[in-house]
């Protein structure tokens, strides 16, 4: 993708997008200003009247209207071009032979007006902008997708089953374990704190907030803490389940042809992703500790050409039963062996390093507790917390070591690490374009090293941490020799 006015066929006219975007663009800009509008409402309830909030909102609506009139596109025999910008005019041009994928995204606003955003993936680096058609009528999406991908060779017919997996409503029970609800609550709390300090105690001046503070202040501290924790769990779980259903509801993955998979998910905001398996460079199985405890996992495909917004990975199995995630990942990969095979552990030095880190963490907490006790902020009862902290740190160290390992299979490099967020990465060795060996001061003293495989796919860097230093170069040599033998 290049930035600049590339005009190979000056005679072709520029076209505008669907005029219904005159409704969508202003509404989207208004939604962006929703936080400051909430500030205005809260300020009005507390006796203030920040007029500038309404001025900014009106400016956003005008800007949204101008975006429609200043955005045009055209498809030439050699390029796809989009010209946009209100103050800073810019033309994004993509050679048609560089198009790797065409994905469809439809937000709730777009769906209300029968529109969708068509995004063109080119395999460019993550620092480049992504070309998108915002917006196209839903009925015109199939024709546009076919036109954009017309240079792709026709795929052979496939005898595989069409539907490979679909979402089960029962999977929503895994949502509270993803901690997305807690993240949403923290985002709301952070916003309220910003509002609080923005207008000098705006939130606490509200009558309902003052009444709640007065009620809580008369309760015992332990009672408040217990009810607060219970309320947080209930609210966070409910929010997580709603987010999960909205994000992954209607999930389905099916085969289009011999080399193409189609993935769709989402209720209010629908997303459709087309995966060209010729660009597949591996899969990643994610098993956070909370999901692993109940036998759940999620899976992503490591691809080239997906664009920077998805980081080169595509969801192929949402958080759900581990067996289902492994089944889909094995189907996409072509084998289940890399996902279930035993890995080579990294030896006693790597295990000792994990216990050292756990002990260091507990020691820092103990030092902090001692300082707080000396200044009179907490009492001696704080040390009871270490009855939980010390064993938990030791168990975490054990689990981190058990999750550490690697293995080299024909054409595949398997690496696994982590405990709180454990990932097993299966990377095609033919996609590895370089290696980085990193050794910190403490790793050098322990005789360990971190090996980083560089690839053009996915997140570009996949690590094997705390590998015995003597095993680094033999592993690199084995990968190179196997690739050379396979190509020969």
């Amino acid at each position: 993708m290049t930035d600049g006015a590339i005009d190979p066929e000056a005679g072709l006219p520029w076209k505008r997008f669907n005029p219904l975007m005159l409704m969508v663009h202003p509404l989207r800009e208004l939604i962006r200003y929703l936080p400051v509008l909430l500030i205005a409402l809260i300020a009005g309830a507390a006796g203030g009247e920040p007029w500038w909030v309404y001025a900014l909102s009106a400016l956003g609506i005008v800007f949204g209207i101008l975006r429609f009139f200043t955005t045009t596109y055209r498809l030439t025999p050699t390029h796809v071009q989009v010209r946009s910008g209100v103050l800073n005019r810019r033309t994004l041009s993509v050679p048609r032979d560089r198009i790797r994928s065409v994905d469809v995204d439809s937000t709730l606003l777009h769906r209300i007006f029968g529109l969708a955003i068509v995004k063109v993936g080119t395999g460019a680096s993550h620092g480049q902008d992504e070309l998108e058609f915002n917006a196209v009528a839903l009925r015109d999406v199939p024709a546009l997708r076919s036109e954009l991908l017309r240079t792709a060779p026709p795929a052979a017919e496939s005898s595989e089953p069409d539907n490979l997996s679909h979402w089960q409503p029962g999977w929503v029970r895994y949502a509270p374990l993803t901690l997305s609800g807690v993240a949403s609550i923290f985002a709301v709390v952070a916003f309220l704190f910003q509002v609080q300090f923005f207008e000098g105690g705006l939130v606490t001046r509200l009558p309902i907030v003052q009444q709640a503070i007065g009620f809580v202040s008369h309760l015992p501290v332990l009672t408040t803490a217990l009810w607060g924790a219970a309320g947080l769990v209930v609210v966070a779980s409910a929010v997580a389940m709603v987010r999960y259903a909205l994000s992954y509801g209607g999930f389905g993955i099916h085969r289009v042809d011999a080399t193409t998979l189609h993935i769709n998910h989402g209720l209010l905001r629908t997303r459709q992703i087309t995966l060209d398996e010729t660009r597949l460079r591996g899969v990643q199985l994610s098993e956070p500790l909370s999901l692993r405890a109940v036998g759940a996992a999620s899976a992503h495909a490591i691809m080239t050409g997906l664009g920077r917004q998805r980081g080169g990975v595509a969801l192929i199995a949402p958080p759900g039963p581990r067996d289902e995630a492994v089944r889909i990942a094995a189907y996409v990969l072509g084998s289940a062996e890399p996902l279930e095979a035993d890995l080579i552990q990294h030896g006693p030095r790597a295990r000792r390093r994990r216990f050292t880190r756990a002990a260091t963490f507990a020691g820092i907490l103990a030092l902090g507790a001692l300082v707080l006790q000396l200044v009179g902020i907490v009492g001696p009862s704080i040390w009871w917390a270490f009855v939980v902290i010390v064993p938990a740190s030791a168990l975490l160290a054990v689990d981190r070591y058990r999750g550490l390992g690697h293995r080299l299979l024909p054409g595949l490099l398997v690496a696994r690490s982590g405990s709180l967020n454990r990932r097993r990465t299966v990377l095609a060795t033919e996609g590895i374009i370089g290696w980085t060996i990193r050794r910190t001061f403490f790793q050098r003293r322990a005789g360990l090293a971190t090996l980083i495989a560089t690839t053009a796919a996915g997140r570009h860097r996949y690590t094997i941490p705390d590998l015995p230093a003597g095993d680094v170069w033999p592993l690199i040599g084995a990968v190179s020799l196997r690739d050379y033998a396979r190509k020969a």
Side-chain angles (χ1 to χ4, degrees), residues 360-372 383 386 389:
T360 302
F361 174 73
I364 292 174
L365 291 182
L367 180 61
L370 179 61
V371 171
L372 292 177
W383 297 103
F386 287 86
I389 292 176

Side-chain angles (χ1 to χ4, degrees), residues 272-343:
Q272 302 176 24
I273 304 171
T274 302
L275 297 184
D276 181 0
E277 291 179 291
T278 61
R279 297 183 288 112
L280 179 70
R281 297 296 180 267
V283 298
Q284 188 172 77
L285 192 67
S286 298
E287 301 176 89
L289 180 60
S290 55
L291 289 178
R292 197 165 70 248
V294 294
S298 62
H300 292 77
I302 301 173
M303 310 287 294
T304 60
L306 285 182
R308 59 176 176 169
Q309 290 188 350
R310 287 195 298 274
V313 296
L315 178 75
I316 56 176
R322 187 182 187 276
D323 292 343
E324 180 70 6
V326 171
R327 185 182 70 84
I328 296 302
Y331 179 90
V332 173
L333 192 62
S335 172
E337 181 185 3
L339 300 167
E340 300 288 5
D342 294 333
L343 304 182

Side-chain angles (χ1 to χ4, degrees), residues 91-403:
T91 299
L92 296 177
S93 180
V94 175
R96 300 190 70 153
D97 58 2
R98 290 276 301 175
I99 296 177
R100 299 292 184 265
S101 65
V102 177
D103 300 333
V104 182
D105 186 6
S106 187
T107 66
L108 179 60
L109 275 177
H110 287 82
R111 294 181 65 189
I112 289 174
F113 294 98
L115 302 174
I117 305 173
V118 177
K119 300 180 180 180
V120 178
T122 64
S125 64
H126 289 206
Q128 306 240 349
D129 288 333
E130 187 175 46
L131 189 148
E132 67 178 27
F133 293 80
N134 189 3
V136 180
L138 286 172
R139 63 179 180 275
D140 298 332
V141 169
L144 177 60
R145 179 159 45 193
S146 299
E147 173 66 15
L148 291 171
L149 295 174
R150 65 181 175 83
T151 57
E157 293 295 328
S158 173
S159 60
E160 300 291 342
D162 290 335
N163 298 317
L164 306 178
S165 179
H166 62 277
W167 186 69
Q168 301 289 337
W171 292 358
V172 76
R173 67 182 183 273
Y174 298 108
L177 302 175
T178 63
L179 303 182
S180 59
V182 176
S184 300
I185 291 176
F186 278 135
V188 173
V189 171
F191 169 74
L192 292 177
F193 271 112
Q194 291 178 354
V195 173
Q196 169 72 9
F197 291 106
F198 186 75
E199 286 286 344
L202 191 61
V203 175
T204 53
R205 294 207 306 268
L206 294 174
I208 187 172
V209 176
Q210 292 178 349
Q211 294 174 5
I213 293 175
F215 175 76
V216 172
S217 62
H218 291 86
L219 296 176
V221 175
L222 182 59
T223 302
T224 303
L226 292 176
W227 278 106
L232 177 63
V233 170
V234 172
V235 174
S237 298
V239 172
M241 288 189 290
V242 171
R243 285 192 58 180
Y244 185 95
L246 294 178
S247 298
Y248 303 120
F251 173 85
I253 176 171
H254 62 273
R255 179 166 293 286
V256 178
D257 53 46
T259 61
T260 306
L261 293 174
H262 188 74
I263 302 170
N264 59 274
H265 61 88
L267 295 181
L268 298 182
R269 178 178 184 176
T270 60
R271 312 197 75 168
Q272 302 176 24
I273 304 171
T274 302
L275 297 184
D276 181 0
E277 291 179 291
T278 61
R279 297 183 288 112
L280 179 70
R281 297 296 180 267
V283 298
Q284 188 172 77
L285 192 67
S286 298
E287 301 176 89
L289 180 60
S290 55
L291 289 178
R292 197 165 70 248
V294 294
S298 62
H300 292 77
I302 301 173
M303 310 287 294
T304 60
L306 285 182
R308 59 176 176 169
Q309 290 188 350
R310 287 195 298 274
V313 296
L315 178 75
I316 56 176
R322 187 182 187 276
D323 292 343
E324 180 70 6
V326 171
R327 185 182 70 84
I328 296 302
Y331 179 90
V332 173
L333 192 62
S335 172
E337 181 185 3
L339 300 167
E340 300 288 5
D342 294 333
L343 304 182
I344 300 173
Q345 294 190 322
H346 292 182
R349 294 181 178 181
R351 180 174 59 245
R352 184 166 58 247
R353 191 161 191 260
R354 269 132 192 81
F355 278 99
T356 301
R357 286 185 171 185
T360 302
F361 174 73
I364 292 174
L365 291 182
L367 180 61
L370 179 61
V371 171
L372 292 177
Q373 184 180 1
L374 291 177
V375 298
I377 297 179
V378 297
S381 59
I382 187 65
W383 297 103
W384 283 104
F386 287 86
V387 175
V388 176
I389 292 176
V390 173
S393 299
L395 291 174
L396 184 62
V398 172
D399 191 59
R400 289 186 65 214
Y401 177 71
R402 287 179 178 175

